[in-house]
Amino acid sequence: MKKMLATLLSACLLFSLSACTEPVDSTGTGVSSNGTVPASSTPERFVEYPSSGQTPDFGSTSTVSKIVSMIGSSAGKTGTSSSGAASGNTASVSSAGNQSPAGNAYQPVAYGETKAIWISYLELATLLKGKTQAEFEKNMGTVYQNVKDLGLNTVIVQVRPYSDALYPSEYYPWSAYASGTVGQKPSFDPLKILVDLAHQKGLSFHAWINPLRGMTEAETAKVPARYQTRKWHDERSKSDRLVYHGTRWFLNPAYSEVRKLIADGAAEIVSNYNVDGIHIDDYFYPTTDASFDQISYDLYGKGKTRSQFRLDNCSLMVKEMYQAVKKVNSKVLFGVSPQGNVDNNYSSQFADVKLWCAQKGYLDYIMPQVYFGFENEGQPYTKTVQQWNSMVKADGVQLMIGLACHKIGMENDTFAGSGSAEWSKSTDMLKRQVMEARKLSCYKGIALFDYKSLFDVNSGSILNKDCVKKEVENLKGLL
């Protein structure tokens, strides 16, 4: 009898724990692409926001109360996808896995349909920098609740924006966005709080890192001498492992030791935290200028064109990151979010996205930033997502579509041609784009750029608050 009671109690406990982590059944960069893609080959690049140079208080409950009260906190019923789409929103969560030591046997949260939102380092700047642990926990609790109330199930949070870290790292110095000063340790571990709070809310957590982008000269001078990036900076007259371009330094992926640093940094996160994924965006080569990597090209080019040389270097970096993550925990996802314009990935950033989608061993998911309207002349939405869908050929590679919340209400989508005013006229763009994406045979989910654009309703950076509210209503109605 005692044995039977013990078995029954164990089953009830497992059921209870599983219910606690059941996700809501509604859907759902640090900088983001401006989303504008010309019909020509002019590259689409990320633009830092807000333009005023100031960041609003995203953690304030008052800034989101209008939308949150409208949305409500109740979860919807499980929906069905369109033909060919992955259906269901069930999260496979192991109660034992969620409590296991990081880097050991953690079982990542996996969804039938990923419904994600990007939370960038610029948002964390107001949520985290200068805050006590209690203040930060309160801020992130509000953010995550807003995300969950909208029906999303995944957060993609930027934890390494400029070859720095929002966590204690052997490889990268503390970020100024943590304590306010480069290399200065805060009194708590922000990443542990970010991960733990996300899981408490039933959200999957993907750690977003920028592998190549580094700091400004002034910031680099503050990096402690023990870090490899500082050593390469001080030896820059002898090599181009660290290259200055524009206003900051960039790592050069042509060198095996550079790629190893990046891969080791990714593995370090998976080893020390129960993250569900590692995520990189579209910051690959920052320029087409030959001077960026002339030394390494002369050493290792071996008859290749410079374009192929760079494509190969990025592919090696991506593959080595993937392998490093899988070596620690084979179930943690590794994903890449490139530009939505396929041609620009090759002509301006040397990201061989077709290879990564067609061959196993590079990534688990591809999340192109398809920040275009249906009427965009150069990159119409439907044609673009179909192009990406046709590229996904490797078993196990999932397609997720990045959507442009930051364009809601935009009066002039600069490079969209005759479709330049589409975003200002529509109040159901996101709803229609999700519906179209769900028709794709390789569809696995969507991601929204970004948190600020949907929830910071009092910010001057939001183009049209009424449009945002209507878009949210229509999106929630669909999901």
Side-chain angles (χ1 to χ4, degrees):
M1 178 63 72
K2 291 182 179 179
K3 185 175 181 181
M4 289 177 64
L5 285 172
T7 301
L8 180 60
L9 286 171
S10 297
C12 291
L13 177 59
L14 286 173
F15 177 81
S16 175
L17 287 171
S18 177
C20 290
T21 54
E22 185 70 17
V24 295
D25 292 324
S26 310
T27 294
T29 215
V31 253
S32 159
S33 170
N34 60 14
T36 55
V37 168
S40 68
S41 60
T42 305
E44 172 193 359
R45 292 297 296 138
F46 271 146
V47 221
E48 301 209 9
Y49 64 79
S51 56
S52 65
Q54 299 179 346
T55 51
D57 186 358
F58 305 117
S60 171
T61 304
S62 63
T63 64
V64 299
S65 59
K66 296 178 183 179
I67 289 182
V68 172
S69 62
M70 175 181 67
I71 294 171
S73 59
S74 61
K77 300 297 182 183
T78 301
T80 56
S81 301
S82 301
S83 175
S87 63
N89 301 297
T90 303
S92 173
V93 183
S94 165
S95 58
N98 272 339
Q99 301 171 26
S100 68
N104 187 5
Y106 173 65
Q107 298 294 316
V109 180
Y111 291 93
E113 181 183 25
T114 295
K115 305 168 187 180
I117 192 164
W118 278 287
I119 300 173
S120 84
Y121 76 97
L122 286 175
E123 289 156 324
L124 290 175
T126 54
L127 297 166
L128 170 61
K129 188 165 64 174
K131 302 295 191 294
T132 64
Q133 179 173 341
E135 289 171 335
F136 180 54
E137 289 176 347
K138 180 180 179 181
N139 288 345
M140 290 312 304
T142 300
V143 168
Y144 286 163
Q145 190 60 52
N146 292 338
V147 168
K148 185 172 181 178
D149 287 347
L150 181 56
L152 308 180
N153 57 30
T154 301
V155 289
I156 303 171
V157 185
Q158 195 164 27
V159 300
R160 202 169 84 215
Y162 291 108
S163 295
D164 52 3
L166 291 171
Y167 53 91
S169 172
E170 177 184 348
Y171 305 102
Y172 296 93
W174 275 101
S175 172
Y177 294 94
S179 66
T181 302
V182 173
Q184 182 174 310
K185 176 183 178 181
S187 61
F188 55 92
D189 182 347
L191 182 51
K192 185 178 188 305
I193 292 170
L194 286 167
V195 174
D196 289 350
L197 288 180
H199 287 161
Q200 288 173 23
K201 295 289 186 182
L203 298 168
S204 177
F205 185 95
H206 290 219
W208 169 14
I209 61 181
N210 290 98
L212 298 179
R213 187 176 63 181
M215 301 180 186
T216 64
E217 173 61 28
E219 292 166 339
T220 305
K222 298 176 183 178
V223 173
R226 67 180 180 276
Y227 289 103
Q228 188 61 60
T229 51
R230 176 60 187 272
K231 294 176 182 178
W232 286 334
H233 169 270
D234 295 345
E235 299 169 356
R236 59 192 181 278
S237 62
K238 302 176 183 178
S239 77
D240 58 349
R241 288 169 178 79
L242 200 64
V243 183
Y244 194 78
H245 175 74
T247 61
R248 62 183 63 256
W249 294 94
F250 287 81
L251 287 165
N252 182 352
Y255 293 93
S256 60
E257 55 267 42
V258 171
R259 298 193 303 272
K260 185 177 187 303
L261 173 69
I262 295 167
D264 286 346
E268 179 183 48
I269 295 174
V270 180
S271 295
N272 295 333
Y273 301 91
N274 287 339
V275 297
D276 305 294
I278 295 291
H279 178 94
I280 65 174
D281 57 27
D282 72 335
Y283 272 91
F284 298 104
Y285 278 89
T287 180
T288 59
D289 193 330
S291 65
F292 179 85
D293 56 356
Q294 191 61 55
I295 297 175
S296 55
Y297 180 64
D298 289 343
L299 286 171
Y300 306 118
K302 297 180 180 179
K304 296 179 182 178
T305 63
R306 191 178 300 272
S307 176
Q308 190 59 55
F309 174 69
R310 291 181 174 183
L311 286 166
D312 291 346
N313 292 335
C314 281
S315 291
L316 283 170
M317 179 186 74
V318 168
K319 175 176 280 190
E320 289 167 16
M321 291 183 74
Y322 174 89
Q323 292 172 339
V325 167
K326 298 301 181 181
K327 186 175 182 180
V328 178
N329 188 331
S330 63
K331 295 184 179 180
V332 170
L333 298 178
F334 176 69
V336 180
S337 178
Q339 292 187 27
N341 184 324
V342 174
D343 291 341
N344 283 348
N345 283 291
Y346 287 87
S347 63
S348 65
Q349 294 192 295
F350 309 98
D352 199 346
V353 291
K354 294 178 182 177
L355 173 66
W356 307 343
C357 290
Q359 292 187 18
K360 294 181 67 173
Y362 287 96
L363 44 76
D364 294 300
Y365 68 85
I366 191 81
M367 187 181 282
Q369 300 165 32
V370 188
Y371 295 164
F372 322 124
F374 291 95
E375 300 171 13
N376 185 299
E377 277 193 64
Q379 295 288 142
Y381 176 83
T382 300
K383 180 180 178 181
T384 302
V385 295
Q386 289 174 348
Q387 180 184 19
W388 281 98
N389 189 68
S390 69
M391 290 162 46
V392 178
K393 299 176 181 178
D395 291 341
V397 173
Q398 304 170 356
L399 174 63
M400 305 177 193
I401 305 298
L403 302 177
C405 301
H406 62 294
K407 282 192 172 182
I408 297 172
M410 180 178 285
E411 294 183 358
N412 182 22
D413 191 359
T414 310
F415 296 105
S418 60
S420 61
E422 181 181 10
W423 290 91
S424 64
K425 296 184 295 184
S426 175
T427 58
D428 65 346
M429 180 77 80
L430 299 180
K431 172 183 175 180
R432 290 184 290 125
Q433 290 188 336
V434 172
M435 292 173 65
E436 193 67 30
R438 284 178 167 176
K439 298 176 185 178
L440 304 171
S441 60
C442 299
Y443 172 80
K444 186 65 175 179
I446 55 96
L448 306 176
F449 186 84
D450 59 348
Y451 179 85
K452 166 185 62 64
S453 299
L454 290 183
F455 292 105
D456 186 30
V457 295
N458 293 331
S459 170
S461 62
I462 287 187
L463 302 173
N464 189 315
K465 297 177 180 62
D466 290 334
C467 279
V468 169
K469 292 178 183 179
K470 291 176 182 177
E471 285 278 0
V472 169
E473 285 179 325
N474 285 317
L475 187 59
K476 184 172 179 62
L478 168 68
L479 302 172

